[in-house]
Structures are given as C-alpha cells and as structure tokens.
Amino acid sequence: MLYNPKDIISTLDMIDNQHLDVRTITMGISLLDCADEDIEKCAQKIYDKICKKAEKLVETGEQIEREFGIPIVNKRISVTPISLVAAACKAESYVPLAVSLDKAAKKCGVNFIGGFSALVNKGFTESDLKLINSIPEALAVTERVCSSVCVASTKSGINMDAVALMGNIIKKTAERTADTGGFGCAKLVVFANAVEDNPFMAGAFHGVGEPECVINVGVSGPGVVYHALQSCKGEPFDVVAETIKKTAFKITRMGQLVAREASERLGVPFGIVDLSLAPTPAKGDSVARILEEMGIESCGTHGTTAALALLNDAVKKGGVMASNHVGGLSGAFIPVSEDEGMIAAAQCGSLKLDKLEAMTCVCSVGLDMIAVPGDTPASTLGAIIADEAAIGVVNCKTTAVRIIPAPGKKVGEIVEFGGLLGSAPVMPVHPFGSDEFIARGGRIPAPMHSLKN
C-alpha cells in the first residue's frame, strides 16, 4: 500500500496544526502557436488558448481540496516566455500582451500568471529588448501578471548588459507602482540558470522543452519540519538530517497525490512536484525558525549558512525518494517579507543583505522579496544582481533576485504588501558605488566547468 491509516492521520495533523499545504497547482501552457504579426490578433489568440486550456483548473483544484481535505492555496498558470511568442509581432511594446494575460488569468480565476519573460543569458533579440522595456508599464497596468528575465547561465556566463538594463527596469517598475510601495517589483524576478518547470511565482514560465500543456505542483511545509525538529532537541546533526528527510518524504507524497489527481481530472500530463519549503508570514510557518530550532539564536548569526545547507540537502533527499518527478526549485526558500522569522531577524539586526547573499549559496533560490531604500541607484541594484548571478553560474545552481527599491522609504521602515507577500523591513545597502563596474557591459565568461559534456 502506498498510503496507510497511520500516515493519513499524521498528514491530517500536519494540515490541521502545522501549516502543511499545497502552495500551488500551476498549469503550464505553450503559446508558441499564438504567434502573429498583428499584436492584437496575437493577444486574442493568447487569451483564447489560455481560457480554453485552463477553464477547469480552479474548479478542479477546489474539488480536490474538498474531497481530500488538503488546502491548495493558489491555482496559477505559466506560459511560454512572451518574448518568444511575440517575436513575429510588428509592435514596439508588448504591454497589450500583458493585458491579455491578465484578462485570461481573471477569467480563469487564477491568482497569478507567469511568463511575461525573456531569456537573455547570452544576448538579446529585438523581441527580448521590446519585452524587457515593456516590463515597468506591463506590471503597473496588470494585477496578476508576473515577469522574469534570465540574465546568466553556467553554460554562457553573465550578460552584464542585461544586468545593467535590469537594474534600470527594476527602478522604473518601482516608480510606476510607487502608490503600492513598489509592488510591481514583487512580481519581477531576475534569474541565473532559470528552470523550465518552476511552479512558483513570480519566476514561473513554461519552457520550450515542456509539453503542450502540463500540471506542476508546488508543496510547502516549513511548519511541519519545524514541528518535527522539536522532537530531536540536542541530537546530533545526523539525526536532524534524517528527521527532515522523513518529513520531506511525507510532504512530497501528498504533493504527488494531488498532482496525479489534478492531472487525471484535467486530462493534462503530470510534470513535477516542486518540494520547496516556501514560508508565509504566519507564525509557525517559517524557514528562519527551523534554523533557529537547530540551535541558532537568531537567523543570520554565525552558523546560519551551515544550518540552511543541511536543511536544503535533506529536503531534496527526502523528496526524490517520494516521487520520480521532483523538479522546479525544490528546497528551502528565504523570502524576507514572506517569512515571519526572517522579518524578525532583519528587524533585530542579525540578518543583513551580505548574510542573505551567503545563504543563497546553499538554498534553492536567491535574494527574495527584499526591500531596500527607494533611492538605491540602478547600478547598485545591477551589482546585487551580478553578485547573485555569479553564485548561480559558478555553482551550477538556480539563483534569483526579487528586490524592491521601495519609493520614499528609508532603512528601518516597513513596506506592507499583504497576503502571502507579507511585509518587508527596508534593509540597508552598501553606501559605496558600483557604477564603473556595471558600466563596463559585455559578458562575464562562463566558468571552466561549463565545458563539461
């Protein structure tokens, strides 16, 4: 038997008391066949296809929730990077396509739609540049559209022209959404080594190597891991790692069940389960508190990176034993505004930007949901992106930057986003400039190990 009564009762307790949930069911949809020279026709094709493919996504998710008693927090859609779909369009701005995505998302009832994206790790096409320059307006005039740009990969190195451009785009996006604290930047991610099957926003897009349509599920359970570790206080790290592995196994099995049910009912292939410890602002649902349960007084102090490395590794090992198709990002996320413990650590001064950067070397994403002063120069934002991209490129891993230069805000102030996005304490950046470094442009070459084949 795959499931026995004891496991079911244990899982129900996790759901009722330990914040276990399916964070998202994400339907990936290929839009490659929606290309058209006329941008209005392209927009209509995009709208029609999304509405047809995803018309029962939310309804099906809600049915599974009711029947299995498993909370499914978000239902989402990811699409082919729009810079590819729109390449044939004879238009200077792709904002109409973002508006079409937003209308389709609202029609289908999903929380977010990802894929207003471009992959420029080695260089730009004309379409890539049009899309990137459309991002500030697109994120300002839409509600549910998310955007991502991949500027680096281990195989190609770091496109520093793209890095510099994205520093400016982030600033413009913050300014265009200043009335909501720069909220547009919360829907914009800059990647190194972006993956094609990530179900989590804001970085989800449907890769060109993916099927016509696919179901990916993202599962989250920081509270479950935190609770499990309370039973092994003072035990050696071997015991800690084994406990996390067993817990991750259970969480992934639940995700696999939901993914297969959704796949069967929608008649869409099952893609992957992304086992990511994605926190929320709720107390008891924090990655930071897991690290502190291992013996760290406050997240960010010495030992934090080692604790996070253990957590990330154990989560992945437990997950791959539970499903043949674990993918996406799978591991521990450290979004500051979305994690109650991270917020507390930033406010008390134990968690700084430099320490967060060190932590990204061993976690599953990067500098995530970080607010910085609104007057932070675009070149500084670019340099932060470059540092994070370098970590990803050299270490053959996905890294990302989702940073909000909060308009009018100073260090120590709070930016409120609400819901799962939480509230971000404004963190300081270094006062010394990186202007000349960013102005060089060109490409930082790929590392030697990129030649593996």
Side-chain angles (χ1 to χ4, degrees):
M1 289 178 62
L2 290 177
Y3 307 97
N4 62 54
K6 185 178 177 182
D7 286 339
I8 292 170
I9 292 169
S10 172
T11 302
L12 288 174
D13 183 55
M14 293 176 187
I15 292 168
D16 291 340
N17 301 309
Q18 299 163 32
H19 300 280
L20 178 61
D21 58 52
V22 169
R23 186 55 50 86
T24 179
I25 292 179
T26 301
M27 175 179 281
I29 302 172
S30 172
L31 299 182
L32 289 173
D33 58 348
C34 296
D36 199 289
E37 287 189 358
D38 186 321
I39 194 166
E40 296 302 327
K41 290 181 180 178
C42 182
Q44 189 61 49
K45 287 180 182 180
I46 286 171
Y47 177 82
D48 291 343
K49 184 168 187 179
I50 292 171
C51 290
K52 181 180 179 181
K53 292 287 186 182
E55 63 177 341
K56 295 184 179 179
L57 176 62
V58 171
E59 176 189 334
T60 301
E62 290 172 348
Q63 286 175 355
I64 294 170
E65 274 188 285
R66 288 193 298 269
E67 292 177 27
F68 290 85
I70 298 170
I72 301 172
V73 180
N74 293 297
K75 294 84 180 176
R76 297 165 171 170
I77 296 168
S78 64
V79 299
T80 310
I82 292 298
S83 69
L84 301 179
V85 181
C89 291
K90 296 185 182 302
E92 291 307 310
S93 169
Y94 292 165
V95 172
L97 302 183
V99 171
S100 183
L101 291 173
D102 203 45
K103 284 172 57 182
K106 289 174 182 175
K107 176 69 175 177
C108 296
V110 297
N111 308 87
F112 286 110
I113 185 165
F116 196 74
S117 307
L119 311 176
V120 297
N121 35 290
K122 202 169 183 179
F124 303 99
T125 64
E126 288 183 15
S127 184
D128 292 329
L129 286 171
K130 288 178 184 178
L131 182 131
I132 291 171
N133 287 318
S134 300
I135 287 172
E137 183 181 353
L139 296 185
V141 302
T142 60
E143 209 179 306
R144 309 182 191 202
V145 172
C146 292
S147 180
S148 60
V149 177
C150 184
V151 300
S153 72
T154 297
K155 281 291 185 183
S156 60
I158 305 172
N159 181 350
M160 291 300 292
D161 293 318
V163 166
L165 178 56
M166 288 312 300
N168 282 292
I169 292 296
I170 290 169
K171 285 284 286 187
K172 290 178 181 177
T173 303
E175 290 162 4
R176 289 294 299 259
T177 56
D179 58 332
T180 54
F183 178 70
C185 296
K187 300 187 293 173
L188 173 58
V189 183
V190 185
F191 273 117
N193 290 323
V195 296
E196 297 189 340
D197 56 5
N198 165 26
F200 284 98
M201 298 298 169
F205 64 86
H206 187 70
V208 294
E210 294 288 300
E212 175 73 12
C213 191
V214 70
I215 287 290
N216 297 320
V217 166
V219 185
S220 180
V224 179
V225 174
Y226 173 74
H227 181 83
L229 290 185
Q230 290 178 320
S231 66
C232 52
K233 290 184 183 292
E235 296 286 353
F237 283 114
D238 310 75
V239 176
V240 172
E242 190 64 23
T243 301
I244 295 171
K245 278 169 56 182
K246 289 177 179 177
T247 305
F249 179 88
K250 291 180 182 178
I251 295 170
T252 308
R253 292 303 274 178
M254 184 194 75
Q256 172 108 338
L257 171 65
V258 170
R260 291 207 174 278
E261 280 294 323
S263 169
E264 185 176 323
R265 296 183 189 199
L266 290 165
V268 173
F270 160 52
I272 56 94
V273 176
D274 186 324
L275 175 63
S276 289
L277 299 185
T280 70
K283 193 170 183 180
D285 200 27
S286 162
V287 169
R289 299 304 186 196
I290 296 173
L291 307 180
E292 291 169 358
E293 184 62 27
M294 292 187 204
I296 303 295
E297 183 178 355
S298 180
C299 181
T301 192
H302 307 298
T304 299
T305 306
L308 182 59
L310 182 152
L311 173 64
N312 208 58
D313 179 66
V315 164
K316 290 179 186 291
K317 286 174 177 173
V320 296
M321 290 180 65
S323 173
N324 287 329
H325 300 291
V326 171
L329 298 170
S330 288
F333 289 1
I334 52 171
V336 175
S337 79
E338 299 174 18
D339 187 307
E340 169 268 327
M342 295 284 179
I343 294 169
Q347 289 178 320
C348 78
S350 68
L351 187 62
K352 306 283 190 182
L353 202 54
D354 287 347
K355 185 61 177 180
L356 277 165
E357 183 182 305
M359 292 165 67
T360 66
C361 296
V362 298
C363 78
S364 282
V365 64
L367 296 172
D368 198 12
M369 285 304 291
I370 292 166
V372 296
D375 60 1
T376 303
S379 58
T380 297
L381 297 174
I384 291 170
I385 293 168
D387 282 344
E388 199 57 33
I391 289 171
V393 166
V394 171
N395 291 289
C396 302
K397 69 186 294 294
T398 301
T399 53
V401 174
R402 187 162 48 146
I403 193 166
I404 301 105
K409 296 289 186 180
K410 303 295 183 186
V411 173
E413 295 185 284
I414 300 291
V415 188
E416 296 285 351
F417 296 118
L420 287 176
L421 296 176
S423 56
V426 178
M427 302 179 74
V429 298
H430 284 288
F432 307 102
S434 308
D435 307 56
E436 291 185 24
F437 175 74
I438 293 299
R440 286 179 179 271
R443 186 150 52 100
I444 293 179
M448 192 67 179
H449 54 257
S450 69
L451 297 178
K452 286 181 183 177
N453 55 31

